[in-house]
Amino acid sequence: MSPVLEQPVVAVSRPPTRMWLRILLRPEAAAVFFILVLIVVFGAAANGFFTLGNAQNIVDQVAIVGIIALGMNEVILAGEIDISVGSGVALTSAVAAKTAADHHTGLLLTTLVAVGAGTAIGMVNGFLVTKARIPSIIVTLASLNALRGATNLYNPTGVPSVPENVRAFGRGSVLGLNSAIIVLLAAFVIMGVVTRHTTWGRELPAIGGNERAARLAGLPPDRFRWVAFAVLGACVGIASMVTIGEVGSVQPTAATGLELQVIAAVVIGGTSISGGRGLITAAVAGALLLGTLLNGSNLLGLQERWQSLFIGAVILIAIGSDVVRRRMLERLVTS
Amino acid sequence: MTTARVADRVKTPGFGREAVLLIVLIGLIIAMAQASPLFLTLDNLLDTSRYFVETGLIALGMTLVIITGGIDVSVGSTLALASVTIGFTYQAGVPLIVAVVLGVLVGTACGIFNGVLTAVWDMHPLAITIATLSFFRGIAIAITNENAVSSFPNWFGLFGQGAVGQVPNQLFVFVVAAVIVWFVLHRTVLGRRIFALGLSQQVARFSAVRTVRIKVFVYAITGLLAGIAAVIYTSRVSTARSDAGTGLELQVIAAVVLGGASVRGGAGSIGGTILGLLIISVLNQGLLLTSINSNWTLVIIGAVMIVGVFINEFFRRRQE
C-alpha cells in the first residue's frame, strides 16, 4: 500500500532529493527555522543586531538556561520532568557562595561543592521518582517549594558579595569569548559525547518512548532515570557557579521561575515533552531561540512589559509549527 | 478486566482513602489546637475559610483535568488576567457588574484556549499550559503596565469580604460549586466519560467518547472557576494587579493530588480534593499561628505532599 515501503532502496540511493525531508525530520527544525526568521526580522528592523558583540550578548544571556536545559533534555527524554531547578539554583548558589565566603575555599573546591550539592538534590528527586514511585511532576512540585523554603532558612539575608576568586565562571573572557559561553560550550560538548557514546545516553530515549519495551530489551529504566536526575542536578550545580560569577551576590529569591525558561527552551528546541523523541542540540537551539527573541525585542525598544507575552507566544508558535511539521511528515509518509 | 475495575470504582469511590485523609485532617486539627489556643475557635476556622476558597474553586476544576490525565499549570495566570480584566475595564468606565461578568468570561476563554490547543494539537498539556502560564500573565502585565486598580465601590466587597452572620459569603459560592462539580463527576454519564478518558484515551475513543469535547470541557470549567475565584480574590484584596495568583497552581495541584487524584489519570474524587484542600489550609493557617518561621511551612507542605502521594500510589498499586 505504501510506496515508501516498496522502494526503500531508491530512497537510500538518492539521498540528495530527499535532503529537505531529512532536514525536516530533525526535531529542532522548527526552532532553527524560527531563529533564522527572527535574525532576518531583527536584522532588518533593529540597529546593532548584526554585530559580533551582540551575537556574544545573546549566547551570554542564555548560558545559564542552556546549561540546565542540557540536563533537562535528558530528564524529559526519559519521560520525566523536573520543575524544581529554579529553587535548586537558588540553594546551590547559596551553598557555594557561603562556603567560599566562610571557609575561603578556592575555585575548584567551591565548584565541587556546588556540583555536589546540585547532584545530591537531583539524586533525592530521582530517588523519590524511581524508588518511591511518585510521579516526577509531584516530586519536583514539592521540592520546588521545599528547596525555596530551605534556601530562605539557610540564606535569609542573602550573600551580599561573593569572593572574587570563585566568580571565574561568570566573569572575564578567554580568547575573546565570555567565560559563561565557554562553560556552555564545554557542557554541550561533554553532554554531546556522553549521549552519543555511552549506553545511558543512547538508550535513555528508549525508556521515555516505551518503558516496557526498554525493560524487555534488557535496559534498567529506574537506574537510567535516576542517573538522568543526577546529571540534571550536576548541570544545576555548574549553572549556579555561572550565576554567582555573573551576579556577584546571592539573593534568596534568585532564579525564581527559571524552570519555565529551561523547560520552554527544551520544548521549543523540539524535544517531545512526552519523552522518547529529541536530541541534545534541541536544548541549545531552544535556548538560543529564547535568547535571540529577548535580545531582539530589547533592541527594538520593546519594554520589559511585553517579555512574558512574547515568550509565551513563541513557545505556542513553536509547538504549533512542530505539530504542523509532524502532520506534514505523516502525510508524506502515508501518501 | 478493565470493566470489572471500573465497576469496582463505581461501587466504592475511594472511600478507604478518604477515610484515611479524614483521620489525618482530624489529627492535624488536634495537633494545631495543642500548638495554639487560638486555632480551634469558630472565628479562626471561618476566617481560614476566606483564604482557601479561591484555591478550592480552582482545585475543583483541576480535579477534573487531572482525572483525564491532564494538568493545568496556567491557573494562577488565568486568575491574574481575569482579575486585571475586572479592574481595568471598570476603570475604563464599564459598569462594575459587567466588568465582573467579563472577568469570568475571560477566565473561561483562557480555559477553552488551553483545552482546544491541548486536544486539537494532541500535545501534552504541560507544554501548552507552561506556555500559557507565561502568555496569560504576559497579557496581564502588558495591559496594566504593572499598575494597579484599587478603587472599587463598597458593594464590590460583597464577594470577598462580606459575610452572612459569621459565615463568609465566598464559602457559600464554594459549597454550591463543589456540589455541582461533585454531581457532574460522580453522578452523570459525563463524569464516567471523564474517568474513562483518563483510564485510556484510546479505549475511550473506541467507545464513542468524544475525547476532544471532554478535554475542552474540563479545561473550560477550570478556567470558569478560575474566573470566579478572580472575582472573589479581587473583591477580598480590593486590588487588581498583574501579579495576582503567582504560584497559586502549586497549592491547587497540591490539594488535588493529596486528595488522591492520580496525575497518571483515571483516579480522583471531589471529596478527596476537598479533604486535601482542608489539610493544606489547616497546615498553612496552623503554622502561621504557631510562631514557626514561615519558611518551614513551605518545607512541611512539600514533605506532606510527597508522603501523601506516596501513600496514595502505594495503595493504588496494591489494589491493582
Side-chain angles (χ1 to χ4, degrees), chain A residues 42 45-47 293-307 310:
Chain A
F42 288 136
N47 269 338
L293 183 81
L294 292 180
N295 175 279
S297 52
N298 250 343
L299 288 180
L300 281 178
L302 290 179
Q303 296 133 324
E304 211 156 290
R305 64 189 269 207
W306 294 96
Q307 264 190 14
F310 250 58

mmCIF file with all atom_site columns, all heavy atoms in Angstrom, chain A residues 42 45-47 293-307 310:
data_model
loop_
_atom_site.group_PDB
_atom_site.id
_atom_site.type_symbol
_atom_site.label_atom_id
_atom_site.label_alt_id
_atom_site.label_comp_id
_atom_site.label_asym_id
_atom_site.label_entity_id
_atom_site.label_seq_id
_atom_site.pdbx_PDB_ins_code
_atom_site.Cartn_x
_atom_site.Cartn_y
_atom_site.Cartn_z
_atom_site.occupancy
_atom_site.B_iso_or_equiv
_atom_site.pdbx_formal_charge
_atom_site.auth_seq_id
_atom_site.auth_comp_id
_atom_site.auth_asym_id
_atom_site.auth_atom_id
_atom_site.pdbx_PDB_model_num
ATOM 1   N N   . PHE A 1 42  ? 14.876 40.884 12.941 1.00 0.00 ? 42  PHE A N   1
ATOM 2   C CA  . PHE A 1 42  ? 15.575 41.806 13.833 1.00 0.00 ? 42  PHE A CA  1
ATOM 3   C C   . PHE A 1 42  ? 16.724 42.493 13.097 1.00 0.00 ? 42  PHE A C   1
ATOM 4   O O   . PHE A 1 42  ? 17.004 43.665 13.325 1.00 0.00 ? 42  PHE A O   1
ATOM 5   C CB  . PHE A 1 42  ? 16.111 41.080 15.064 1.00 0.00 ? 42  PHE A CB  1
ATOM 6   C CG  . PHE A 1 42  ? 15.028 40.672 16.022 1.00 0.00 ? 42  PHE A CG  1
ATOM 7   C CD1 . PHE A 1 42  ? 15.034 39.420 16.606 1.00 0.00 ? 42  PHE A CD1 1
ATOM 8   C CD2 . PHE A 1 42  ? 14.000 41.544 16.341 1.00 0.00 ? 42  PHE A CD2 1
ATOM 9   C CE1 . PHE A 1 42  ? 14.041 39.048 17.486 1.00 0.00 ? 42  PHE A CE1 1
ATOM 10  C CE2 . PHE A 1 42  ? 13.008 41.174 17.221 1.00 0.00 ? 42  PHE A CE2 1
ATOM 11  C CZ  . PHE A 1 42  ? 13.025 39.917 17.797 1.00 0.00 ? 42  PHE A CZ  1
ATOM 12  N N   . ALA A 1 45  ? 15.191 45.235 11.242 1.00 0.00 ? 45  ALA A N   1
ATOM 13  C CA  . ALA A 1 45  ? 14.457 46.254 11.993 1.00 0.00 ? 45  ALA A CA  1
ATOM 14  C C   . ALA A 1 45  ? 15.278 46.926 13.086 1.00 0.00 ? 45  ALA A C   1
ATOM 15  O O   . ALA A 1 45  ? 15.074 48.095 13.374 1.00 0.00 ? 45  ALA A O   1
ATOM 16  C CB  . ALA A 1 45  ? 13.193 45.628 12.612 1.00 0.00 ? 45  ALA A CB  1
ATOM 17  N N   . ALA A 1 46  ? 16.208 46.181 13.685 1.00 0.00 ? 46  ALA A N   1
ATOM 18  C CA  . ALA A 1 46  ? 16.899 46.742 14.848 1.00 0.00 ? 46  ALA A CA  1
ATOM 19  C C   . ALA A 1 46  ? 18.336 47.106 14.513 1.00 0.00 ? 46  ALA A C   1
ATOM 20  O O   . ALA A 1 46  ? 19.061 46.308 13.934 1.00 0.00 ? 46  ALA A O   1
ATOM 21  C CB  . ALA A 1 46  ? 16.873 45.734 15.993 1.00 0.00 ? 46  ALA A CB  1
ATOM 22  N N   . ASN A 1 47  ? 18.712 48.305 14.903 1.00 0.00 ? 47  ASN A N   1
ATOM 23  C CA  . ASN A 1 47  ? 20.092 48.731 14.719 1.00 0.00 ? 47  ASN A CA  1
ATOM 24  C C   . ASN A 1 47  ? 21.002 47.957 15.672 1.00 0.00 ? 47  ASN A C   1
ATOM 25  O O   . ASN A 1 47  ? 20.664 47.762 16.825 1.00 0.00 ? 47  ASN A O   1
ATOM 26  C CB  . ASN A 1 47  ? 20.231 50.219 15.023 1.00 0.00 ? 47  ASN A CB  1
ATOM 27  C CG  . ASN A 1 47  ? 20.030 51.038 13.771 1.00 0.00 ? 47  ASN A CG  1
ATOM 28  O OD1 . ASN A 1 47  ? 20.200 50.524 12.661 1.00 0.00 ? 47  ASN A OD1 1
ATOM 29  N ND2 . ASN A 1 47  ? 19.655 52.291 13.957 1.00 0.00 ? 47  ASN A ND2 1
ATOM 30  N N   . LEU A 1 293 ? 15.215 36.088 20.756 1.00 0.00 ? 293 LEU A N   1
ATOM 31  C CA  . LEU A 1 293 ? 13.936 36.780 20.892 1.00 0.00 ? 293 LEU A CA  1
ATOM 32  C C   . LEU A 1 293 ? 14.022 37.912 21.909 1.00 0.00 ? 293 LEU A C   1
ATOM 33  O O   . LEU A 1 293 ? 13.618 39.044 21.639 1.00 0.00 ? 293 LEU A O   1
ATOM 34  C CB  . LEU A 1 293 ? 12.889 35.756 21.324 1.00 0.00 ? 293 LEU A CB  1
ATOM 35  C CG  . LEU A 1 293 ? 11.496 36.314 21.424 1.00 0.00 ? 293 LEU A CG  1
ATOM 36  C CD1 . LEU A 1 293 ? 10.894 36.360 20.053 1.00 0.00 ? 293 LEU A CD1 1
ATOM 37  C CD2 . LEU A 1 293 ? 10.669 35.471 22.349 1.00 0.00 ? 293 LEU A CD2 1
ATOM 38  N N   . LEU A 1 294 ? 14.579 37.578 23.091 1.00 0.00 ? 294 LEU A N   1
ATOM 39  C CA  . LEU A 1 294 ? 14.648 38.592 24.145 1.00 0.00 ? 294 LEU A CA  1
ATOM 40  C C   . LEU A 1 294 ? 15.572 39.727 23.727 1.00 0.00 ? 294 LEU A C   1
ATOM 41  O O   . LEU A 1 294 ? 15.262 40.902 23.895 1.00 0.00 ? 294 LEU A O   1
ATOM 42  C CB  . LEU A 1 294 ? 15.150 37.954 25.448 1.00 0.00 ? 294 LEU A CB  1
ATOM 43  C CG  . LEU A 1 294 ? 14.181 36.967 26.082 1.00 0.00 ? 294 LEU A CG  1
ATOM 44  C CD1 . LEU A 1 294 ? 14.753 36.389 27.360 1.00 0.00 ? 294 LEU A CD1 1
ATOM 45  C CD2 . LEU A 1 294 ? 12.855 37.652 26.379 1.00 0.00 ? 294 LEU A CD2 1
ATOM 46  N N   . ASN A 1 295 ? 16.717 39.351 23.147 1.00 0.00 ? 295 ASN A N   1
ATOM 47  C CA  . ASN A 1 295 ? 17.695 40.352 22.735 1.00 0.00 ? 295 ASN A CA  1
ATOM 48  C C   . ASN A 1 295 ? 17.123 41.275 21.657 1.00 0.00 ? 295 ASN A C   1
ATOM 49  O O   . ASN A 1 295 ? 17.193 42.505 21.750 1.00 0.00 ? 295 ASN A O   1
ATOM 50  C CB  . ASN A 1 295 ? 18.945 39.624 22.236 1.00 0.00 ? 295 ASN A CB  1
ATOM 51  C CG  . ASN A 1 295 ? 19.973 40.582 21.672 1.00 0.00 ? 295 ASN A CG  1
ATOM 52  O OD1 . ASN A 1 295 ? 19.851 40.993 20.533 1.00 0.00 ? 295 ASN A OD1 1
ATOM 53  N ND2 . ASN A 1 295 ? 20.955 40.944 22.473 1.00 0.00 ? 295 ASN A ND2 1
ATOM 54  N N   . GLY A 1 296 ? 16.511 40.675 20.633 1.00 0.00 ? 296 GLY A N   1
ATOM 55  C CA  . GLY A 1 296 ? 15.978 41.473 19.532 1.00 0.00 ? 296 GLY A CA  1
ATOM 56  C C   . GLY A 1 296 ? 14.879 42.400 19.996 1.00 0.00 ? 296 GLY A C   1
ATOM 57  O O   . GLY A 1 296 ? 14.837 43.573 19.614 1.00 0.00 ? 296 GLY A O   1
ATOM 58  N N   . SER A 1 297 ? 13.994 41.886 20.877 1.00 0.00 ? 297 SER A N   1
ATOM 59  C CA  . SER A 1 297 ? 12.896 42.742 21.315 1.00 0.00 ? 297 SER A CA  1
ATOM 60  C C   . SER A 1 297 ? 13.420 43.871 22.194 1.00 0.00 ? 297 SER A C   1
ATOM 61  O O   . SER A 1 297 ? 12.870 44.968 22.206 1.00 0.00 ? 297 SER A O   1
ATOM 62  C CB  . SER A 1 297 ? 11.824 41.925 22.039 1.00 0.00 ? 297 SER A CB  1
ATOM 63  O OG  . SER A 1 297 ? 12.392 41.159 23.052 1.00 0.00 ? 297 SER A OG  1
ATOM 64  N N   . ASN A 1 298 ? 14.522 43.600 22.909 1.00 0.00 ? 298 ASN A N   1
ATOM 65  C CA  . ASN A 1 298 ? 15.167 44.668 23.668 1.00 0.00 ? 298 ASN A CA  1
ATOM 66  C C   . ASN A 1 298 ? 15.686 45.757 22.752 1.00 0.00 ? 298 ASN A C   1
ATOM 67  O O   . ASN A 1 298 ? 15.465 46.946 22.974 1.00 0.00 ? 298 ASN A O   1
ATOM 68  C CB  . ASN A 1 298 ? 16.359 44.099 24.442 1.00 0.00 ? 298 ASN A CB  1
ATOM 69  C CG  . ASN A 1 298 ? 16.080 44.075 25.924 1.00 0.00 ? 298 ASN A CG  1
ATOM 70  O OD1 . ASN A 1 298 ? 15.168 44.755 26.380 1.00 0.00 ? 298 ASN A OD1 1
ATOM 71  N ND2 . ASN A 1 298 ? 16.832 43.301 26.657 1.00 0.00 ? 298 ASN A ND2 1
ATOM 72  N N   . LEU A 1 299 ? 16.397 45.332 21.691 1.00 0.00 ? 299 LEU A N   1
ATOM 73  C CA  . LEU A 1 299 ? 16.994 46.293 20.766 1.00 0.00 ? 299 LEU A CA  1
ATOM 74  C C   . LEU A 1 299 ? 15.920 47.097 20.048 1.00 0.00 ? 299 LEU A C   1
ATOM 75  O O   . LEU A 1 299 ? 16.118 48.251 19.694 1.00 0.00 ? 299 LEU A O   1
ATOM 76  C CB  . LEU A 1 299 ? 17.874 45.579 19.745 1.00 0.00 ? 299 LEU A CB  1
ATOM 77  C CG  . LEU A 1 299 ? 19.193 45.026 20.271 1.00 0.00 ? 299 LEU A CG  1
ATOM 78  C CD1 . LEU A 1 299 ? 19.961 44.357 19.151 1.00 0.00 ? 299 LEU A CD1 1
ATOM 79  C CD2 . LEU A 1 299 ? 20.024 46.126 20.890 1.00 0.00 ? 299 LEU A CD2 1
ATOM 80  N N   . LEU A 1 300 ? 14.769 46.460 19.818 1.00 0.00 ? 300 LEU A N   1
ATOM 81  C CA  . LEU A 1 300 ? 13.676 47.162 19.153 1.00 0.00 ? 300 LEU A CA  1
ATOM 82  C C   . LEU A 1 300 ? 13.008 48.152 20.092 1.00 0.00 ? 300 LEU A C   1
ATOM 83  O O   . LEU A 1 300 ? 12.109 48.883 19.695 1.00 0.00 ? 300 LEU A O   1
ATOM 84  C CB  . LEU A 1 300 ? 12.627 46.167 18.649 1.00 0.00 ? 300 LEU A CB  1
ATOM 85  C CG  . LEU A 1 300 ? 12.959 45.437 17.358 1.00 0.00 ? 300 LEU A CG  1
ATOM 86  C CD1 . LEU A 1 300 ? 11.855 44.459 17.013 1.00 0.00 ? 300 LEU A CD1 1
ATOM 87  C CD2 . LEU A 1 300 ? 13.152 46.420 16.224 1.00 0.00 ? 300 LEU A CD2 1
ATOM 88  N N   . GLY A 1 301 ? 13.437 48.137 21.357 1.00 0.00 ? 301 GLY A N   1
ATOM 89  C CA  . GLY A 1 301 ? 12.875 49.090 22.304 1.00 0.00 ? 301 GLY A CA  1
ATOM 90  C C   . GLY A 1 301 ? 11.569 48.639 22.929 1.00 0.00 ? 301 GLY A C   1
ATOM 91  O O   . GLY A 1 301 ? 10.851 49.438 23.514 1.00 0.00 ? 301 GLY A O   1
ATOM 92  N N   . LEU A 1 302 ? 11.248 47.341 22.777 1.00 0.00 ? 302 LEU A N   1
ATOM 93  C CA  . LEU A 1 302 ? 10.059 46.844 23.461 1.00 0.00 ? 302 LEU A CA  1
ATOM 94  C C   . LEU A 1 302 ? 10.387 46.743 24.938 1.00 0.00 ? 302 LEU A C   1
ATOM 95  O O   . LEU A 1 302 ? 11.390 46.165 25.316 1.00 0.00 ? 302 LEU A O   1
ATOM 96  C CB  . LEU A 1 302 ? 9.663  45.465 22.936 1.00 0.00 ? 302 LEU A CB  1
ATOM 97  C CG  . LEU A 1 302 ? 9.107  45.433 21.534 1.00 0.00 ? 302 LEU A CG  1
ATOM 98  C CD1 . LEU A 1 302 ? 8.770  44.017 21.127 1.00 0.00 ? 302 LEU A CD1 1
ATOM 99  C CD2 . LEU A 1 302 ? 7.868  46.295 21.439 1.00 0.00 ? 302 LEU A CD2 1
ATOM 100 N N   . GLN A 1 303 ? 9.528  47.329 25.763 1.00 0.00 ? 303 GLN A N   1
ATOM 101 C CA  . GLN A 1 303 ? 9.849  47.318 27.175 1.00 0.00 ? 303 GLN A CA  1
ATOM 102 C C   . GLN A 1 303 ? 9.660  45.933 27.762 1.00 0.00 ? 303 GLN A C   1
ATOM 103 O O   . GLN A 1 303 ? 9.099  45.045 27.152 1.00 0.00 ? 303 GLN A O   1
ATOM 104 C CB  . GLN A 1 303 ? 8.950  48.308 27.932 1.00 0.00 ? 303 GLN A CB  1
ATOM 105 C CG  . GLN A 1 303 ? 9.177  49.729 27.510 1.00 0.00 ? 303 GLN A CG  1
ATOM 106 C CD  . GLN A 1 303 ? 7.855  50.396 27.270 1.00 0.00 ? 303 GLN A CD  1
ATOM 107 O OE1 . GLN A 1 303 ? 6.914  49.762 26.778 1.00 0.00 ? 303 GLN A OE1 1
ATOM 108 N NE2 . GLN A 1 303 ? 7.773  51.658 27.607 1.00 0.00 ? 303 GLN A NE2 1
ATOM 109 N N   . GLU A 1 304 ? 10.119 45.840 28.998 1.00 0.00 ? 304 GLU A N   1
ATOM 110 C CA  . GLU A 1 304 ? 10.076 44.555 29.676 1.00 0.00 ? 304 GLU A CA  1
ATOM 111 C C   . GLU A 1 304 ? 8.641  44.052 29.826 1.00 0.00 ? 304 GLU A C   1
ATOM 112 O O   . GLU A 1 304 ? 8.415  42.866 29.940 1.00 0.00 ? 304 GLU A O   1
ATOM 113 C CB  . GLU A 1 304 ? 10.723 44.687 31.048 1.00 0.00 ? 304 GLU A CB  1
ATOM 114 C CG  . GLU A 1 304 ? 11.388 43.416 31.516 1.00 0.00 ? 304 GLU A CG  1
ATOM 115 C CD  . GLU A 1 304 ? 12.473 43.707 32.528 1.00 0.00 ? 304 GLU A CD  1
ATOM 116 O OE1 . GLU A 1 304 ? 13.508 44.274 32.133 1.00 0.00 ? 304 GLU A OE1 1
ATOM 117 O OE2 . GLU A 1 304 ? 12.266 43.388 33.696 1.00 0.00 ? 304 GLU A OE2 1
ATOM 118 N N   . ARG A 1 305 ? 7.679  44.978 29.761 1.00 0.00 ? 305 ARG A N   1
ATOM 119 C CA  . ARG A 1 305 ? 6.294  44.553 29.992 1.00 0.00 ? 305 ARG A CA  1
ATOM 120 C C   . ARG A 1 305 ? 5.807  43.579 28.939 1.00 0.00 ? 305 ARG A C   1
ATOM 121 O O   . ARG A 1 305 ? 4.844  42.870 29.130 1.00 0.00 ? 305 ARG A O   1
ATOM 122 C CB  . ARG A 1 305 ? 5.373  45.769 30.078 1.00 0.00 ? 305 ARG A CB  1
ATOM 123 C CG  . ARG A 1 305 ? 5.281  46.579 28.799 1.00 0.00 ? 305 ARG A CG  1
ATOM 124 C CD  . ARG A 1 305 ? 4.532  47.865 29.050 1.00 0.00 ? 305 ARG A CD  1
ATOM 125 N NE  . ARG A 1 305 ? 3.109  47.736 28.825 1.00 0.00 ? 305 ARG A NE  1
ATOM 126 C CZ  . ARG A 1 305 ? 2.335  48.757 28.469 1.00 0.00 ? 305 ARG A CZ  1
ATOM 127 N NH1 . ARG A 1 305 ? 2.854  49.958 28.311 1.00 0.00 ? 305 ARG A NH1 1
ATOM 128 N NH2 . ARG A 1 305 ? 1.050  48.580 28.293 1.00 0.00 ? 305 ARG A NH2 1
ATOM 129 N N   . TRP A 1 306 ? 6.455  43.546 27.773 1.00 0.00 ? 306 TRP A N   1
ATOM 130 C CA  . TRP A 1 306 ? 6.000  42.635 26.724 1.00 0.00 ? 306 TRP A CA  1
ATOM 131 C C   . TRP A 1 306 ? 6.668  41.265 26.781 1.00 0.00 ? 306 TRP A C   1
ATOM 132 O O   . TRP A 1 306 ? 6.325  40.371 26.030 1.00 0.00 ? 306 TRP A O   1
ATOM 133 C CB  . TRP A 1 306 ? 6.250  43.249 25.351 1.00 0.00 ? 306 TRP A CB  1
ATOM 134 C CG  . TRP A 1 306 ? 5.417  44.459 25.114 1.00 0.00 ? 306 TRP A CG  1
ATOM 135 C CD1 . TRP A 1 306 ? 5.786  45.752 25.299 1.00 0.00 ? 306 TRP A CD1 1
ATOM 136 C CD2 . TRP A 1 306 ? 4.057  44.493 24.671 1.00 0.00 ? 306 TRP A CD2 1
ATOM 137 N NE1 . TRP A 1 306 ? 4.744  46.594 25.005 1.00 0.00 ? 306 TRP A NE1 1
ATOM 138 C CE2 . TRP A 1 306 ? 3.672  45.850 24.613 1.00 0.00 ? 306 TRP A CE2 1
ATOM 139 C CE3 . TRP A 1 306 ? 3.125  43.506 24.330 1.00 0.00 ? 306 TRP A CE3 1
ATOM 140 C CZ2 . TRP A 1 306 ? 2.398  46.234 24.228 1.00 0.00 ? 306 TRP A CZ2 1
ATOM 141 C CZ3 . TRP A 1 306 ? 1.858  43.901 23.936 1.00 0.00 ? 306 TRP A CZ3 1
ATOM 142 C CH2 . TRP A 1 306 ? 1.503  45.253 23.892 1.00 0.00 ? 306 TRP A CH2 1
ATOM 143 N N   . GLN A 1 307 ? 7.664  41.122 27.675 1.00 0.00 ? 307 GLN A N   1
ATOM 144 C CA  . GLN A 1 307 ? 8.504  39.926 27.605 1.00 0.00 ? 307 GLN A CA  1
ATOM 145 C C   . GLN A 1 307 ? 7.764  38.617 27.838 1.00 0.00 ? 307 GLN A C   1
ATOM 146 O O   . GLN A 1 307 ? 7.879  37.686 27.042 1.00 0.00 ? 307 GLN A O   1
ATOM 147 C CB  . GLN A 1 307 ? 9.649  40.042 28.612 1.00 0.00 ? 307 GLN A CB  1
ATOM 148 C CG  . GLN A 1 307 ? 10.908 40.566 27.970 1.00 0.00 ? 307 GLN A CG  1
ATOM 149 C CD  . GLN A 1 307 ? 12.094 40.467 28.886 1.00 0.00 ? 307 GLN A CD  1
ATOM 150 O OE1 . GLN A 1 307 ? 12.038 39.775 29.903 1.00 0.00 ? 307 GLN A OE1 1
ATOM 151 N NE2 . GLN A 1 307 ? 13.154 41.143 28.527 1.00 0.00 ? 307 GLN A NE2 1
ATOM 152 N N   . PHE A 1 310 ? 5.620  37.695 25.001 1.00 0.00 ? 310 PHE A N   1
ATOM 153 C CA  . PHE A 1 310 ? 6.445  37.248 23.887 1.00 0.00 ? 310 PHE A CA  1
ATOM 154 C C   . PHE A 1 310 ? 6.895  35.812 24.056 1.00 0.00 ? 310 PHE A C   1
ATOM 155 O O   . PHE A 1 310 ? 6.751  34.987 23.153 1.00 0.00 ? 310 PHE A O   1
ATOM 156 C CB  . PHE A 1 310 ? 7.682  38.151 23.811 1.00 0.00 ? 310 PHE A CB  1
ATOM 157 C CG  . PHE A 1 310 ? 7.683  39.039 22.628 1.00 0.00 ? 310 PHE A CG  1
ATOM 158 C CD1 . PHE A 1 310 ? 6.643  39.917 22.416 1.00 0.00 ? 310 PHE A CD1 1
ATOM 159 C CD2 . PHE A 1 310 ? 8.715  38.992 21.711 1.00 0.00 ? 310 PHE A CD2 1
ATOM 160 C CE1 . PHE A 1 310 ? 6.637  40.742 21.322 1.00 0.00 ? 310 PHE A CE1 1
ATOM 161 C CE2 . PHE A 1 310 ? 8.715  39.819 20.609 1.00 0.00 ? 310 PHE A CE2 1
ATOM 162 C CZ  . PHE A 1 310 ? 7.678  40.691 20.417 1.00 0.00 ? 310 PHE A CZ  1
#
